[in-house]
Amino acid sequence: MKIGCPREIKPQEFRVGMTPVAAQEAVAHGHEVIIETGAGLGAGFDDAAYKAAGATIIDTAEEVFASADMIVKVKEPQAPERKMLREGQVLFTYLHLAPDPEQTHDLLESGCTAIAYETVTDDRGGLPLLAPMSEVAGKLAPQVGAWTLQKANGGRGVLMGGVPGVGPAKVVVIGGGVVGTHAARVAAGMGADVTVLDMSLTRLRYLDDAFRGEFKTGYASKGHTAELVVEADMVVGAVLIPGAAAPKLITRDQLSTMKAGAALVDVAIDQGGCFETSRATTHADPIYEVDGIMHYCVANMPGAVARTSTIALGNATMPFMLALADKGWKQACTDDPHLLNGLNVHAGQLTYYAVGKALGLDVVSPQLVIK
Ligand SMILES: NC(=O)c1ccc[n+]([C@@H]2O[C@H](COP(=O)([O-])OP(=O)(O)OC[C@H]3O[C@@H](n4cnc5c(N)ncnc54)[C@H](O)[C@@H]3O)[C@@H](O)[C@H]2O)c1
């Protein structure tokens, strides 16, 4: 199979769909890999690294799209990219179609077979191609929160770990899933006094067992959350209700009960945010203030560490990418129901129910499509 990897064109996206290591594996499996020139630069991979891996460097995205059997990317295809997709071509990338009728329309019209990273599943009910980015965002949250807390950035002027004679910052993490756990571990590692709140007692039991007092756990009732928020120097929003907008867990009224200059880091902003006063920001202008409280709400946090994120994503996507290339998408999806869960679009038909429901479109069963 000829696998093509174009340069990402979404603004401020520095990741790349294939690392040189992934290219090397694909070549070792007998496939041809074509990479658009400069595609890996944002993540620190130059053309020479891909050439050394056995890939061919191509001048333009047009040529990559025109000749590849499968396109491997990071972000959803942008409008000019969608025009280049064609019938029979496989697209393997993040899509997030439910809130995006235009993209859905274009993918259906192109006739391509689109497999979305975010809906591929695993045996434990997880989302293995989303998890690495949650791990990255979770670990970044205390880092950016600590920066936000610095006085020059509008924050409270509190050091995460304190110093001898001065206590540490109080950090509350709401949501103890992948993001929350990684955030709590880093914040605790920085010496902060950390409490993780979740609605799931099963999850709280796991955290308590696994991390043995590294951080405290608490039930995320409204009252308990409000009590802890009043005391907090930093609150990390890390909740997820799959398929739904994030619930608003701190209201604007509550801001006046908080310490002036405290930091709210809303990682759940990509699902609308879990603080009433959150609005999406960018890496170029990440923070803003409301009622004396600093907000950090960057919707694509992993982009800040494009190299780590690219390698982490590549580790997770590689086995699926190889299966698709080795067997062809139909056989690969037949053999692996988790990969089949990633199938969103095939030959002008929508094959993912949640997207159909969100957009009011007809859906064909993916099982039917692979028959
Ligand atoms: N901003 C970014 O760049 C970025 C990057 C990665 C992930 N995210 C987002 O971070 C959020 C968390 O992702 P995740 O992978 O950790 O999800 P996850 O499913 O692993 O964890 C979510 C946790 O939230 C808990 N929860 C749900 N409702 C709650 C409530 N009302 N109060 C307390 N806890 C509640 C769940 O029990 C679960 O443990 C998602 O919205 C995800 O899209 C954002």
Side-chain angles (χ1 to χ4, degrees):
M1 187 181 272
K2 195 185 253 194
I3 307 169
C5 176
R7 186 174 57 81
E8 293 295 319
I9 58 170
K10 189 164 183 174
Q12 292 196 321
E13 181 53 66
F14 301 106
R15 290 172 292 177
V16 60
M18 282 183 93
T19 60
V21 168
Q24 191 175 28
E25 287 278 344
V27 170
H29 279 234
H31 305 294
E32 192 182 341
V33 176
I34 56 173
I35 308 277
E36 184 184 346
T37 184
L41 281 181
F45 300 117
D46 60 12
D47 288 354
Y50 287 101
K51 274 192 203 155
T56 305
I57 303 298
I58 302 285
D59 282 343
T60 64
E62 284 75 10
E63 292 166 273
V64 173
F65 276 86
S67 68
D69 302 307
M70 173 163 70
I71 297 288
V72 179
K73 275 176 50 61
V74 179
K75 294 306 283 186
E76 71 279 3
Q78 306 299 291
E81 294 175 315
R82 303 201 290 263
K83 288 203 186 87
M84 297 189 277
L85 290 164
R86 61 168 192 280
E87 191 160 356
Q89 194 168 43
V90 175
L91 172 67
F92 190 40
T93 192
Y94 287 118
L95 291 176
H96 297 288
L97 291 180
D100 196 346
E102 277 167 40
Q103 187 201 169
T104 307
H105 169 269
D106 290 356
L107 291 185
L108 289 169
E109 203 171 70
S110 75
C112 79
T113 298
I115 299 171
Y117 290 165
E118 72 274 9
T119 65
V120 173
T121 51
D122 66 20
D123 283 337
R124 294 181 304 163
L127 301 169
L129 304 188
L130 259 195
M133 295 306 99
S134 289
E135 290 162 357
V136 170
K139 285 200 159 171
L140 262 177
Q143 192 174 311
V144 296
W147 177 82
T148 305
L149 275 178
Q150 290 176 25
K151 199 72 195 161
N153 300 322
R156 207 169 137 61
V158 167
L159 183 63
M160 288 290 271
V163 289
V166 184
K170 286 196 171 163
V171 175
V172 177
V173 179
I174 312 181
V178 181
V179 167
T181 306
H182 284 76
R185 288 181 66 190
V186 168
M190 292 166 100
D193 171 350
V194 184
T195 305
V196 178
L197 301 176
D198 204 292
M199 300 287 269
S200 159
L201 279 179
T202 311
R203 188 65 192 172
L204 291 177
R205 282 194 188 102
Y206 161 77
L207 292 175
D208 204 54
D209 277 352
F211 296 97
R212 295 176 161 265
E214 216 176 292
F215 45 80
K216 291 168 263 185
T217 56
Y219 189 68
S221 63
K222 255 193 172 144
H224 191 214
T225 305
E227 266 172 40
L228 291 180
V229 160
V230 169
E231 293 292 313
D233 296 293
M234 183 194 303
V235 181
V236 177
V239 300
L240 178 65
I241 300 174
K248 304 293 178 219
L249 302 174
I250 299 184
T251 61
R252 180 159 192 168
D253 287 348
Q254 276 177 280
L255 298 190
S256 62
T257 69
M258 295 181 67
K259 296 175 182 169
L264 297 182
V265 179
D266 199 345
V267 185
I269 189 67
D270 61 341
Q271 299 291 331
C274 59
F275 310 133
E276 193 186 357
T277 42
S278 295
R279 60 171 169 79
T281 58
T282 64
H283 291 294
D285 192 9
I287 57 176
Y288 62 94
E289 179 257 315
V290 179
D291 297 345
I293 304 300
M294 300 309 297
H295 293 57
Y296 176 101
C297 304
V298 173
N300 65 330
M301 290 174 69
V305 287
R307 187 173 173 88
T308 302
S309 300
T310 292
I311 297 170
L313 182 61
N315 290 343
T317 56
M318 189 154 66
F320 297 105
M321 179 272 290
L322 289 174
L324 288 166
D326 290 349
K327 303 177 182 181
W329 75 270
K330 210 173 240 188
Q331 192 59 48
C333 287
T334 305
D335 291 352
D336 182 353
H338 292 302
L339 184 56
L340 182 60
N341 285 336
L343 187 68
N344 277 229
V345 170
H346 171 64
Q349 295 170 311
L350 196 59
T351 54
Y352 199 78
Y353 283 103
V355 174
K357 197 172 165 207
L359 298 178
L361 295 172
D362 290 339
V363 174
V364 176
S365 150
Q367 280 80 9
L368 213 68
V369 162
I370 53 170
K371 274 204 176 132

